Amino acid sequence: MKNRAIINVADTALLSEFSRELVELGYEILCANNNISVLQENGVECTAITDDAPVGGDIGVKVEVMRSDIFAAILADRSDAEHISTIISSGIEPIDIVVTNFEDVKRLLTDEAADISNIFSDVDINRSSLIKAGISNCDDVCVVVDPSDYEKVLDEIKRCGEVSKETRFMFASKALSYLCNRDSMISAYLESRIGGVTYPDMLNISCCKISNLKAGENTHQIAAVYKKQGETAGNLCDMQKLQGSKLSFEGYNNADLALECVCSFDECAVAVANNGCLCGVGIGEEIHEACSNAFRSSASYLNGSIVVFNRNVDRKCALEIIKYPFSGVIATGYGADTEDVLSQKEGLNLFIIENMKSKGEELKGVNGGVLILKNKDINLTSTEFQCITERQPDESERKDLYFAWKLVKNIRGKGVVLAKAGQTTGIGGGQPSQISSFEIALKNAGNKSEGSVVAVDETVTLPEFFGLMKEKSVTAIVHPGFDDISKETVEFCNKNGIISENSVLNSADNGHCADANCEGGGDEAFHKAAVSRGGCFFLQINAQSLHFAVKVAELPNDGADDHGNDHGQGVDAGNGSAVNI
């Protein structure tokens, strides 16, 4: 009985060479109409499927290879004598190799002009069926979906007379992943067409491996990096290596953190990350200014760090880069006048990501599942911060508050960011309390804390926090607010004189999901508040109704705090009136 292979592919790379060698090895080639011309033009002997038997039903190409004789030839169990007898008596010979693959569905899904019918095209229905049939009988049939595997198929046939069972199983697994990959991307596309669903009932995540990594976070771990299918260009997994070696597991972690930071800014921005921590960030009107700010703010942590630029690296930046032992530099590009500078640095790994973008959502593995977090950018500008304290933040403070607030979302575990003059002065996080994180940030800042502002990722209610602000001359704070600022916060600010010296400004999303089906509802609001001497003023802005309400709380003269210290004025935040504007 002659060995046979059926071919129906979209990717014709290496197809003619592969088919010709199969013929030389004694295989008969059955070929779908869409591949006939390619093989015949290259002198490969083949049989058109439609010439093999008549097509039943007048519905055209949709049934070109969806015929019982074709599937019987693939699905017949070679170890079952009855199967073999049945197909032979029907004039059907077994098919040993199924060669098929699809159009690039990613290209179709990202083509705005593409019709949805193109995604479920005739030939793709045929190919899906062929793949599933081949997988169902991988004990006897080899399914090949990747042209890079042609050589292995030919090599095994030459050496062993057939493709080994181990290879058939391996290729079946690969084909099934290939099929699931495509279906997952189409599913995600259809969900996006529906709209209004933040978290679908079924989460289909499809990824393909980029490479194995030398180790995980620690040397006793193993790791690999995968690219999420369907992603458009501009992400970490699409970066181009310009010089040096590929990133390590820790390098990817650091690059991801720094990339998210610089993507938060329209201004020129540079971020430095090391050991999974943000070390420093700088912004500026020019990229070399942002570079200088970032390097100054993280001078103690540059060894082995990843640095990311959201602009092209110019010569001034290049001259700064080679002063430090970075493990990697990522930018949107490199000026022609930087090549002679950067090539001098031995072991410097350079990468390019054009059109950098934020990842938008984050998945974290947990025991038995995943957590998913969708990033929501508040898109505030420095001029939109509202403060009605007696001492208004000056223009530089407003800019620094905006800058710090954009960064603190990237700090895990009670995140705190100190900033001044377009650069971070101290960063703290990964702690069980705000005070611990603030103390770390202050320690990192040293005397640079004086005149800095601070951003915190949770509402600050601890009196000790404001005490440290006063002690270290931190002039303003931005932190998330909910329906009200706590009574304790206002009391402590007044009793300790913080309000006479500091502006306390609050602005944030209330943290509710915009999906009406999500627990917590769809109420999305920004709350901004401030404290001033002689009264407590809260300005609340609801992003949906644009209803403005100012709450004014009178300050009773209670004279003393819980420790008996007389500070004159206290506050009862619960006794106030609301004025609609």
Side-chain angles (χ1 to χ4, degrees), residues 324-343:
Y324 307 102
F326 292 119
S327 66
V329 178
I330 302 173
T332 58
Y334 298 85
D337 58 351
T338 65
E339 185 177 351
D340 63 320
V341 176
L342 297 172
S343 60

Side-chain angles (χ1 to χ4, degrees), residues 308-323:
V308 179
F309 295 72
N310 69 353
R311 297 288 195 281
N312 288 359
V313 169
D314 63 17
R315 188 174 181 84
K316 289 182 180 179
C317 293
L319 291 170
E320 287 296 313
I321 289 169
I322 61 172
K323 295 178 182 177

Side-chain angles (χ1 to χ4, degrees), residues 449-481:
S449 66
E450 183 175 351
S452 292
V453 303
V454 62
V456 188
D457 68 356
E458 291 183 358
T459 304
V460 176
T461 59
L462 296 172
E464 295 88 346
F465 197 101
F466 295 95
L468 280 172
M469 284 182 64
K470 178 182 178 181
E471 179 185 335
K472 298 297 183 178
S473 300
V474 178
T475 65
I477 179 172
V478 55
H479 58 144

Side-chain angles (χ1 to χ4, degrees), residues 3 20-27 153-155 157-158:
N3 291 324
R20 184 179 294 107
E21 289 208 47
L22 281 178
V23 171
E24 291 172 359
L25 291 167
Y27 277 75
V153 170
L154 294 170
D155 181 61
I157 294 173
K158 289 174 184 176

